[in-house]
Amino acid sequence: MGFAEMKRHAWGLSVVLLGACTPASEGPVDRTGGVEQEILDGAQRAVGLWPTPVSLHVLADATVEGPSGEFRTVIHSSSDGRVRMQQSHSGFQAGVGRTGGWLVNSDSSRTDMPGEVAAFVRSHEVHMLALLPTSRLEDPEFLGTQQLDSQPVMAVAFSSDSVVAYFSQADTLPVGLRFAWIEPEVVVHWRKWTELSGVALFREATFVQGPEEWHYTYDRLDLSPLQDSVFEASAVR
């Protein structure tokens, strides 16, 4: 989705994603949970990230087809909470660096990242949410079996049901997300999985909000370490 569409559809202002405007501190993963933790561990095995890596970087460059036309969205994600997002059609640029969130205004000035912008950016980190969801979300709770694309899937809620992640019953592969805190809610479907450096990554994603859909085709995916400067506002030209 584009940021203009986000504002038009009144995405929730409450930021439920962990460390939305600030980087998180990386540390050991709490594995004291029950069924939900078994599913999350199984998902990491399914995507080829077991044992849990100390750090992870993802570059995802997509062509997006939506109601307002075609544009590009580029996401740089680090498991420590840093992120940078760019969209071509609007010139949107925002991110979270070492010292906090930033936004490039239309006059090229920089300001602190507002909460609604942070929520918009974090909800587009879908590869990080698929590979290491607990780097962005907290308080997992198993909800049982639900339906996604008319198929039964295992559902795990985070942050008091604000975000629900879906996993295949066959192999615990992550297959999508539901952002329940957005009004109307957004459901994200992941498809066309391929392998990169031993890690499974999806090449297509569809964001569905009411009658509208945005189709993401990831033309470039990269797991190589990213330079620290990528996440800072000073890197914007």
Side-chain angles (χ1 to χ4, degrees):
M1 297 182 70
F3 188 56
E5 286 93 344
M6 180 209 76
K7 292 189 290 186
R8 188 176 77 240
H9 287 284
W11 287 40
L13 302 186
S14 59
V15 180
V16 300
L17 294 163
L18 188 62
C21 294
T22 57
S25 298
E26 293 182 321
V29 177
D30 180 6
R31 301 197 181 281
T32 58
V35 175
E36 55 273 7
Q37 192 59 57
E38 293 179 10
I39 294 172
L40 295 176
D41 290 349
Q44 284 193 228
R45 291 187 179 94
V47 299
L49 284 178
W50 189 263
T52 304
V54 174
S55 64
L56 179 70
H57 291 148
V58 182
L59 166 61
D61 185 346
T63 300
V64 185
E65 296 180 7
S68 60
E70 184 176 291
F71 57 94
R72 299 200 70 80
T73 295
V74 181
I75 292 281
H76 300 77
S77 295
S78 172
S79 56
D80 65 7
R82 291 176 297 160
V83 61
R84 177 178 176 177
M85 179 176 177
Q86 301 162 266
Q87 290 192 318
S88 63
H89 65 312
S90 62
F92 176 85
Q93 293 193 72
V96 176
R98 288 291 185 190
T99 59
W102 53 269
L103 170 69
V104 178
N105 297 312
S106 57
D107 61 0
S108 298
S109 62
R110 277 70 157 170
T111 58
D112 291 341
M113 179 186 286
E116 66 270 24
V117 177
F120 174 70
V121 171
R122 292 301 192 188
S123 64
H124 280 73
E125 289 189 280
V126 286
H127 284 90
M128 188 62 71
L129 289 167
L131 297 175
L132 288 179
T134 53
S135 72
R136 297 296 187 266
L137 302 165
E138 56 187 358
D139 302 327
E141 179 184 0
F142 179 54
L143 298 182
T145 300
Q146 297 186 5
Q147 294 285 317
L148 183 70
D149 289 337
S150 300
Q151 297 295 320
V153 292
M154 296 180 292
V156 175
F158 294 88
S159 303
S160 301
D161 295 348
S162 296
V163 179
V164 179
Y166 299 112
F167 303 86
S168 166
Q169 286 190 317
D171 55 11
T172 63
L173 187 74
V175 293
L177 287 171
R178 177 167 59 88
F179 295 109
W181 52 276
I182 299 169
E183 180 58 42
E185 68 179 25
V186 173
V187 179
V188 188
H189 308 256
W190 301 328
R191 302 183 180 91
K192 198 176 180 181
W193 289 79
T194 59
E195 187 174 296
L196 176 65
S197 301
V199 177
L201 296 169
F202 54 87
R203 291 281 177 176
E204 296 180 1
T206 301
F207 288 67
V208 180
Q209 186 175 40
E212 297 186 319
E213 296 186 358
W214 290 259
H215 300 282
Y216 284 62
T217 300
Y218 293 93
D219 307 302
R220 181 187 175 198
L221 293 169
D222 197 334
L223 299 176
S224 303
L226 296 167
Q227 294 184 352
D228 289 345
S229 60
V230 166
F231 302 101
E232 305 302 329
S234 57
V236 178
R237 296 292 182 262

